[in-house]
Amino acid sequence: MTRALARVEALTISFPGRAAPAVDGVDLEVGAGECVALVGESGSGKSLTARALLGLLPAEAIVRGRILISSPTAAPGEAPALEEAPARGARAWNAIRGARSGLVPQDALGALDPLRRVEHEVGDALRLHGLATGARRRERVLAALGAAGMPEPGRHLRQRSDELSGGLRQRALVASALIADPGLIVADEPTTALDAGHRGRVLRELRRRVDLGSGALLITHDLASVRGIADRVLVMQGGRIIEAGAPSQVLAAPEHAFTRELLEASPVGRTREPRAIDLGAAPRLELRGISVAFRSGAGRHEVLSDASLAVRPGETVG
């Protein structure tokens, strides 16, 4: 039987001025060695549910139900039991976040401090929990960035977040969440800013951590990635979990109408029927000879070189 790392029981989250709760009576458990995917439309309550496990709900949120997390103390040879999570704002969370649980937030633009270098941002969990110092900490930062798919990680250590592309920021966030090997990983749309190749690398790294004994709660709209990584899928709508089961069941033979609607809305595996485009029509958008470069240390890093494109009426350009 899987050892539980975190659980919410009848979790209800409401906000003043809103008639209906944002999260309504949710039961959810994440065990060691399993990845639980929470899928649903925007605004369905997925991120609030995930943040409840880390004590990161807004101060104005009204919370009912129970939030349980794995206890750090256990007798020799015994699996840690679940205990009540600390109250929001309690200092006890400082010993939990980063070391026992890690969060990959979805806001790659706002989650990193623009005044601090990547090396310090990613290595914070090691510093705050006394897990590594000096050269050893830098080695682990480099390894974590590499595992998250950042190319030439040594070149980015002394950069700040405003010197990084959105994809590089996302990889830095993934590295900072996983660097201390937390038992519970909460990944809220962890591949939002990444292309297909790097999405796969991040998800494989997340699955590798799970196979080594961590537990992961994956919030995602990417149903294709759910098929390859999740052990269980929970479908959320209007603050409630409306369907749950193995990916082979939920994604291949969904029982709820909303789950079927969610799957039908996915563009994965679908191609658009060819259509005639009037190449003589004036473009709605046109770029001509665009070049973009950034200062990188003492050098210059070019990201666009003489790029041109046009978008014409009736046309979608990928």
Side-chain angles (χ1 to χ4, degrees):
M1 189 172 180
T2 302
R3 173 173 61 88
L5 296 175
R7 180 189 301 150
V8 296
E9 299 175 352
L11 178 67
T12 299
I13 304 172
S14 305
F15 290 91
R18 288 184 55 173
V23 174
D24 191 3
V26 164
D27 294 314
L28 180 153
E29 181 175 295
V30 181
E34 75 166 347
C35 175
V36 178
L38 189 57
V39 303
E41 61 191 345
S42 296
S44 60
K46 305 186 303 298
S47 292
L48 285 173
T49 301
R51 286 177 173 269
L53 292 175
L54 299 171
L56 292 174
L57 290 172
E60 65 271 22
I62 303 165
V63 183
R64 297 188 299 275
R66 299 181 75 202
I67 303 171
L68 305 165
I69 58 175
S70 180
S71 169
T73 59
E78 290 185 1
L82 293 178
E83 63 182 14
E84 294 280 349
R88 273 179 295 167
R91 293 178 64 88
W93 280 110
N94 295 340
I96 297 170
R97 299 191 195 113
R100 291 164 52 193
S101 62
L103 170 68
V104 184
Q106 60 178 295
D107 182 10
L109 296 178
L112 294 172
D113 187 339
L115 301 180
R116 303 183 72 217
R117 301 187 189 280
V118 169
E119 178 178 0
H120 301 142
E121 284 282 273
V122 174
D124 251 359
L126 301 180
R127 178 182 64 84
L128 293 170
H129 295 283
L131 300 175
T133 59
R136 177 55 183 154
R137 186 158 71 212
R138 173 170 287 196
E139 288 175 8
R140 290 185 63 174
V141 169
L142 288 169
L145 289 171
M150 182 174 284
E152 301 179 81
R155 186 165 66 84
H156 300 293
L157 286 182
R158 297 192 61 76
Q159 290 181 316
R160 296 179 175 85
S161 62
D162 63 344
E163 299 177 87
L164 302 178
S165 69
L168 290 179
R169 293 181 197 185
Q170 189 70 37
R171 279 167 265 187
L173 288 177
V174 171
S176 65
L178 301 182
I179 193 169
D181 299 321
L184 175 66
I185 302 165
V186 178
D188 191 355
E189 299 284 2
T191 61
T192 297
L194 304 180
D195 59 35
H198 287 107
R199 278 201 301 272
R201 180 164 183 169
V202 167
L203 292 172
R204 285 193 297 274
E205 176 63 15
L206 187 61
R207 183 68 233 186
R208 186 183 74 85
R209 300 296 184 108
V210 169
D211 291 339
L212 290 174
S214 295
L217 178 63
L218 173 64
I219 311 297
T220 184
H221 289 90
D222 185 356
L223 297 179
S225 67
V226 167
R227 287 185 173 91
I229 189 175
D231 299 294
R232 287 189 291 129
V233 178
L234 310 179
V235 182
M236 203 164 187
Q237 182 190 31
R240 295 175 176 268
I241 293 181
I242 58 168
E243 189 162 358
S248 58
Q249 169 199 329
V250 174
L251 301 181
E255 297 179 356
H256 198 281
F258 174 74
T259 308
R260 293 193 292 271
E261 182 181 334
L262 201 63
L263 289 166
E264 289 168 3
S266 173
V268 175
R270 301 186 184 191
T271 57
R272 185 173 179 177
E273 291 297 322
R275 57 188 297 181
I277 302 295
D278 183 0
L279 298 179
R284 296 295 176 88
L285 170 69
E286 186 171 12
L287 305 179
R288 295 181 182 176
I290 302 297
S291 297
V292 178
F294 293 95
R295 291 189 300 274
S296 179
R300 186 170 177 273
H301 177 55
E302 191 173 67
V303 293
L304 284 180
S305 177
D306 197 26
S308 301
L309 66 84
V311 182
R312 293 177 174 80
E315 180 180 41
T316 296
V317 176

